[in-house]
Amino acid sequence: MSLTTDNSRTDLGSILPKFREALETYDVPLAESLFQHALRLGPPMEIIEALIVPSLQRIGCAWEDGSIALSQIYLSGRLCERLVENLHIANTGHVNEPPRQAIAVLNDFHLLGKRIVHSMLRASGIALHDYGRVTVEELVDRVFIDKVDILLISTLMLPSALKIRDVRRALDERGTEIRILVGGAPFLFDDSLWHEVGADAMGRNAADAIQITRQWMGERP
Ligand code: B12
């Protein structure tokens, strides 16, 4: 089953505004039941990308234009985190050897995007270290110790995104050969930011993360 059928897209289109409203009003039972209903329309990861991601993005815009309060963003974010957590996405990654890939949130407290990207990579068979939320110094140390050569960084605040330059500089100074893939709101707002901060690529969503990581893993000497 996939969201490519007209029916499932129409159904999801009618769920989306109700789901967003349930988040804004923090109607937990309604949000949960709409999410469960949506899960019957396609694979969980497609539903997350088609329902949760745009809902939270719209809620972010509503906060920006002053029509909702920060507390509503906070509660919506927490509720979505819980919905995603409860899915218990299967880990099909092979962990016989320590992974040479890692993912982290740099500085800021927006963790949901990283969680989704991490879950999807694992579900598609790519094992990786999860460093959680780290500072530049912590990230550079861990990458060096784990001999990571593909680093995924998630940032949702512009100041955090700009800190990726410091990560790149510090890793270059240590002579570490590494490819950096970035993602999150600032990169969605500005198409050339990934390049300016010294990353090797940016991904718009978890599907991009899988495709680019796979490609880079295949290009290893
Ligand atoms: C929910 C939310 C919060 C929650 C976070 C809860 C949590 N535990 O995550 C809370 C309430 C804590 C919060 C706080 C703040 N927030 Co906020 N928040 C949001 C909001 C509405 C949604 C973020 C989200 O979870 N989206 C859903 C996830 C699934 O999407 P995502 O993270 O974008 O991830 C997807 C892609 O980007 C991509 N992706 C993400 N990471 C990666 C990594 C890689 C490698 C790849 C390939 C892809 C990838 O794949 C994911 C799946 O598709 C955004 C709005 C927006 N447009 O993003 C604002 C937003 C990010 N917040 C913002 C701000 C300003 C703040 C605060 C400063 C508010 C304040 N004044 O206190 C604080 C700062 C906290 C901090 N220091 O980090 C601004 C940032 C603006 C900027 N230019 O810096 C935004 C953009 C809102 C806005 N429009 O102004 N926020």
Side-chain angles (χ1 to χ4, degrees):
M1 193 176 34
S2 135
L3 280 179
T4 46
T5 64
D6 283 348
N7 280 352
S8 43
R9 259 183 283 133
T10 312
D11 281 359
L12 200 67
S14 67
I15 293 175
L16 191 61
K18 293 181 204 151
F19 181 72
R20 201 165 53 233
E21 203 185 321
L23 292 182
E24 285 179 13
T25 54
Y26 201 58
D27 187 337
V28 179
L30 181 60
E32 280 173 350
S33 87
L34 290 167
F35 187 58
Q36 289 309 322
H37 182 79
L39 287 173
R40 293 198 278 274
L41 302 173
M45 285 306 173
E46 283 188 33
I47 299 301
I48 289 172
E49 291 286 0
L51 193 67
I52 289 189
V53 174
S55 297
L56 285 176
Q57 280 170 351
R58 275 288 292 272
I59 287 173
C61 295
W63 173 67
E64 227 175 339
D65 72 24
S67 53
I68 65 162
L70 182 61
S71 54
Q72 284 168 289
I73 299 195
Y74 179 75
L75 291 172
S76 310
R78 295 308 305 236
L79 176 50
C80 289
E81 271 194 81
R82 222 167 43 236
L83 294 176
V84 172
E85 242 169 55
N86 290 345
L87 285 178
H88 299 298
I89 289 147
N91 179 1
T92 58
H94 305 292
V95 285
N96 298 343
E97 289 176 17
R100 286 155 65 196
Q101 302 75 238
I103 188 164
V105 170
L106 188 60
N107 283 346
D108 73 53
F109 287 95
H110 297 90
L111 298 170
L112 185 56
K114 189 269 297 168
R115 180 170 301 197
I116 290 173
V117 171
H118 182 208
S119 299
M120 277 187 79
L121 283 160
R122 280 188 317 157
S124 66
I126 300 173
L128 68 169
H129 298 280
D130 182 358
Y131 295 152
R133 176 183 175 266
V134 283
T135 61
V136 171
E137 294 72 24
E138 286 161 347
L139 182 57
V140 169
D141 282 348
R142 295 187 71 169
V143 159
F144 192 68
I145 290 166
D146 291 334
K147 299 187 174 56
V148 161
D149 63 6
I150 298 178
L151 176 62
L152 286 80
I153 304 178
S154 178
T155 60
L156 268 81
M157 305 282 300
L158 182 59
S160 312
L162 295 175
K163 283 276 173 199
I164 293 171
R165 279 193 195 121
D166 298 344
V167 175
R168 168 58 81 194
R169 200 174 304 123
L171 288 169
D172 284 352
E173 276 167 12
R174 290 199 187 190
T176 310
E177 292 224 352
I178 191 159
R179 282 170 136 176
I180 300 179
L181 171 61
V182 294
F187 304 103
L188 299 174
F189 297 152
D190 176 348
D191 278 348
S192 56
L193 185 62
W194 65 272
H195 194 246
E196 285 165 32
V197 299
D200 297 284
M202 76 82 95
R204 305 191 74 80
N205 49 40
D208 284 358
I210 294 171
Q211 188 249 314
I212 297 166
T213 307
R214 274 225 178 98
Q215 185 189 326
W216 288 355
M217 287 169 80
E219 288 168 3
R220 275 181 180 139

